[in-house]
Amino acid sequence: MVTIKSQKEIEKMKEACKITAFVYEEIEKYIKPGITTMELDHFAERLIYEKGGIPAQKGYPSGQKGVPAFPGTLCISINDEIIHGIPSNKIIIKDGDIVSIDLVVYKNGFHGDAARTYIVGNKTAEKQKLVEITKQAFFEGIKYAVKGNRIGDISHAIGEFVQKNGYNVVKEFQGHGIGEEMHEDPGIPNYGKAGRGIRLEPGMTLAIEPMVMAGKSDICVLDDGWTIITEDGSLAAHYENTILITEKEPEILTLL
């Protein structure tokens, strides 16, 4: 069921979203070659608690038999890892790595969800283009995130833009509604036909998240049960924000 948030609920939700945005600004300053993904995870967790939030992904159930709950604050996915990478003391971020980070903060009964992809150290034109196209795909999608349009209008815009630029989107995972629950209706694929799906109404809060692969669209799940990688070893990137549907233009809640 799609939930329409009241103004009071939206104000509460904005607090979680502001913490999310703040943490990303600090991560951008902190991330560098030579640190482990666990160091980065601990850094973000400390900031979240200092701001009065809770790291919502930590302990999130997998929903898969035999797969434990997610152990980290951040999902940290490197190079050919698309999403849900587990932080580790054994994984050292190297110069030139593409590092995709997904973070959800919980505060006042509501969630704020966003993802960013960083190129750490030296950048190549190939990597820079992938990251920029992934980010721009989000902004192409939200051009259609207006009252009266349909979910499919957002999905179509994202998928068409990504394919036009020579990349592929992940089809097995998608964006989603968000609020009191981390994942709410509706699902928001990154591909599809325009004019399909439910109509957008003011008060809807959505997490829109292009997940883009430089190679083919096939994916694999690692033995940890969480980490999703490209099957052909190609690079991947991820960009996401929580937005609010309004009477006019959409409001991005996870940007300061």
Side-chain angles (χ1 to χ4, degrees), residues 78-239:
I78 299 177
N79 295 329
D80 65 335
E81 297 172 348
I82 308 165
I83 50 173
H84 302 165
I86 298 174
S88 170
N89 285 316
K90 297 179 180 179
I91 300 174
I92 299 171
I93 296 172
K94 300 178 182 65
D95 183 60
D97 277 347
I98 290 183
V99 182
S100 296
I101 299 174
D102 196 353
L103 166 64
V104 187
V105 172
Y106 182 76
K107 186 178 182 182
N108 297 329
F110 290 89
H111 293 83
D113 188 0
R116 302 286 184 267
T117 298
Y118 305 96
I119 305 172
V120 181
N122 291 317
K123 300 174 174 66
T124 65
E126 173 195 15
K127 293 174 182 177
Q128 190 71 39
K129 182 183 177 184
L130 172 63
V131 172
E132 288 176 356
I133 291 300
T134 304
K135 180 178 179 180
Q136 187 58 36
F138 165 84
F139 288 98
E140 294 298 320
I142 68 165
K143 290 177 183 178
Y144 297 87
V146 295
K147 177 184 175 181
N149 278 357
R150 295 184 181 272
I151 290 293
D153 299 327
I154 300 172
S155 301
H156 177 75
I158 291 171
E160 285 292 297
F161 178 77
V162 170
Q163 285 200 325
K164 182 178 70 176
N165 282 279
Y167 301 119
N168 281 300
V169 297
V170 176
K171 293 186 176 180
E172 292 85 352
F173 294 87
Q174 61 184 354
H176 50 91
I178 185 169
E180 291 183 280
E181 300 295 330
M182 187 189 304
H183 297 108
E184 298 182 351
D185 291 333
I188 310 166
N190 290 309
Y191 70 100
K193 294 184 178 181
R196 301 284 182 86
I198 66 167
R199 288 200 182 276
L200 302 174
E201 299 179 41
M204 287 182 178
T205 45
L206 310 173
I208 297 173
E209 50 178 321
M211 293 160 269
V212 178
M213 299 173 286
K216 296 180 180 179
S217 59
D218 303 299
I219 65 170
C220 294
V221 185
L222 294 187
D223 290 341
D224 61 26
W226 281 103
T227 310
I228 308 299
I229 66 169
T230 61
E231 188 175 73
D232 60 7
S234 61
L235 297 172
H238 186 194
Y239 187 84

Side-chain angles (χ1 to χ4, degrees), residues 19-32:
I19 296 172
T20 303
F22 167 76
V23 172
Y24 275 120
E25 289 203 342
E26 296 303 307
I27 284 174
E28 189 167 9
K29 301 171 192 173
Y30 184 82
I31 193 170
K32 61 184 178 181

